[in-house]
Amino acid sequence: MPKINGNEIRPGNVLEHNDGLWSAVKVEHVKPGKGGAFAQVELRNLRNGSKLNERFRSADKVERVRLEQKDQQFLYEDDGQLHFMDAETYEQIQLPADILGDRRPFLQDGMTITVEFYDAEALNATLPQKVTCTVVETEPVVKGQTAANSFKPAILDNGVKVMVPPFVGPDEAIVVNTETMEYAERA
């Protein structure tokens, strides 16, 4: 595994630190008036989700880990476990349902997601950036409401509430950005 200097850490890097695998969430480079510069890094443990703030000087060496990314197709959910299949090898894996966090409702039957592996251990799962959902319930359009930034609440077919533009009505298909969990466009 390649070693990198402390000032080369970027958000999204996976590091081996304190006998664990950590993902850099935020990186802030600080140059105080006295003393050497350092990187203030907020780390999140990939195995248990705990957070840690750490300072790395430019002379510090850390192990950067490369995770293998594989596309997996969602099959079904059973007892809090999500079952996926590798499209190339047809091998099936199980992941805990909480690996997707609050984005879990956007997972749909047959959807292909990206799972990151370290050796044979699945550490992270990422949904496609845009998912199509159907609006189940929303307020009716108010005539004359033409403010540029006016949005109204809507409930989607998966139970998630999002803010949509006034022209979107019930039973319409919309595209939702899974990273920001916001309306993106009409489908």
Side-chain angles (χ1 to χ4, degrees):
M1 281 182 264
K3 284 193 177 269
I4 60 172
N5 293 335
N7 61 350
E8 295 175 0
I9 299 171
R10 301 285 175 260
N13 286 151
V14 177
L15 311 172
E16 192 170 315
H17 180 67
N18 290 354
D19 298 327
L21 288 176
W22 301 83
S23 174
V25 180
K26 290 183 189 168
V27 179
E28 185 179 347
H29 293 280
V30 180
K31 184 161 181 6
K34 235 171 150 176
F38 59 88
Q40 182 73 35
V41 183
E42 183 180 315
L43 300 167
R44 183 178 56 84
N45 190 308
L46 291 175
R47 291 191 173 109
N48 62 21
S50 63
K51 290 197 172 183
L52 173 72
N53 278 318
E54 199 73 64
R55 282 185 179 181
F56 294 100
R57 302 208 175 279
S58 60
D60 295 342
K61 297 278 189 196
V62 287
E63 292 270 346
R64 181 165 176 213
V65 178
R66 295 224 185 260
L67 298 179
E68 182 183 0
Q69 295 186 334
K70 289 184 184 175
D71 286 343
Q72 302 280 333
Q73 183 179 9
F74 176 61
L75 299 175
Y76 62 95
E77 181 174 3
D78 183 33
D79 292 330
Q81 294 287 316
L82 302 175
H83 295 261
F84 295 94
M85 178 182 68
D86 189 317
E88 294 173 13
T89 63
Y90 301 109
E91 284 183 35
Q92 291 189 16
I93 62 166
Q94 292 180 25
L95 298 175
D98 59 356
I99 195 166
L100 292 172
D102 54 357
R103 285 153 183 68
R104 164 63 188 98
F106 291 106
L107 186 62
Q108 299 167 350
D109 288 341
M111 180 181 277
T112 300
I113 68 165
T114 304
V115 179
E116 294 180 325
F117 290 91
Y118 178 67
D119 292 335
E121 181 184 8
L123 294 174
N124 196 11
T126 311
L127 289 171
Q129 186 177 3
K130 293 187 175 180
V131 174
T132 303
C133 298
T134 305
V135 175
V136 175
E137 183 182 323
T138 186
E139 297 169 4
V141 177
V142 178
K143 262 194 179 284
Q145 185 180 15
T146 57
N149 287 357
S150 64
F151 278 75
K152 61 183 182 178
I155 299 174
L156 303 176
D157 54 357
N158 57 12
V160 176
K161 288 184 180 179
V162 295
M163 298 300 282
V164 297
F167 57 79
V168 174
D171 300 324
E172 275 193 60
I174 62 169
V175 176
V176 178
N177 184 329
T178 58
E179 292 173 5
T180 61
M181 294 178 73
E182 294 175 346
Y183 168 87
E185 62 194 9
R186 273 184 165 157

